[in-house]
């Protein structure tokens, strides 16, 4: 049934005045297509590589800091507020300085 025939049928059958003046048009609803799976996989791989790169860079910086602190003498370490056995935990940030005060 076409729109014109439907309009005429409604006007005759129900005799509503507004049906005569009403214009029927058809609309389509369009939605964007889903993103291809490949691009999300590439994005996930790039995020993973970035996370690994950041972790590797952090590891290298921490190892260099530990190496530098180990080259210091005990007196200098005491002035900083750490002892030789706490160098690694101090570099990683796990050391609670309130608990390990050196006298």
């Amino acid at each position: 049934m076409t729109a014109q025939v439907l309009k005429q049928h409604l006007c005759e059958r129900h005799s509503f005045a507004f049906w005569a003046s009403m214009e029927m048009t058809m609309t389509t609803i369009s939605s964007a297509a889903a993103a291809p799976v490949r691009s999300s996989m590439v994005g996930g791989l790039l995020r993973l590589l970035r996370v690994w790169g950041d972790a590797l860079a952090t590891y290298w910086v921490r190892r260099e800091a530990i190496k530098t602190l180990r080259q210091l003498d005990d007196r200098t370490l005491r002035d900083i507020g750490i002892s030789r056995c706490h160098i690694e935990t101090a570099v990683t940030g796990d050391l609670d300085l309130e608990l390990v005060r050196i006298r």
Side-chain angles (χ1 to χ4, degrees):
M1 188 177 274
T2 65
Q4 188 66 18
V5 172
L6 181 61
K7 180 179 172 182
Q8 185 179 4
H9 175 71
L10 288 173
C11 287
E12 290 171 0
R13 179 139 169 112
H14 299 287
S15 68
F16 294 121
F18 71 92
W19 287 113
S21 64
M22 187 174 178
E23 182 178 327
M24 293 189 170
T25 58
M26 298 185 77
T27 60
T28 58
I29 298 174
S30 168
S31 64
V37 175
R38 180 177 294 163
S39 69
S40 66
M41 287 176 55
V42 170
L45 180 62
L46 291 176
R47 280 190 300 275
L48 182 64
L49 289 174
R50 187 186 70 221
V51 167
W52 283 349
D54 290 345
L56 187 60
T58 301
Y59 173 77
W60 283 338
V61 168
R62 285 182 177 169
R63 294 308 322 163
E64 188 64 31
I66 290 169
K67 181 179 171 184
T68 302
L69 287 172
R70 284 186 177 156
Q71 292 173 350
L72 298 176
D73 61 345
D74 289 335
R75 181 181 173 101
T76 307
L77 288 173
R78 194 175 318 118
D79 287 343
I80 295 172
I82 59 174
S83 63
R84 192 161 298 280
C85 65
H86 295 123
I87 288 176
E88 289 189 25
T89 55
V91 170
T92 58
D94 297 333
L95 183 64
D96 187 5
L97 294 176
E98 291 295 320
L99 298 176
V100 290
R101 287 194 176 176
I102 301 172
R103 294 188 181 153

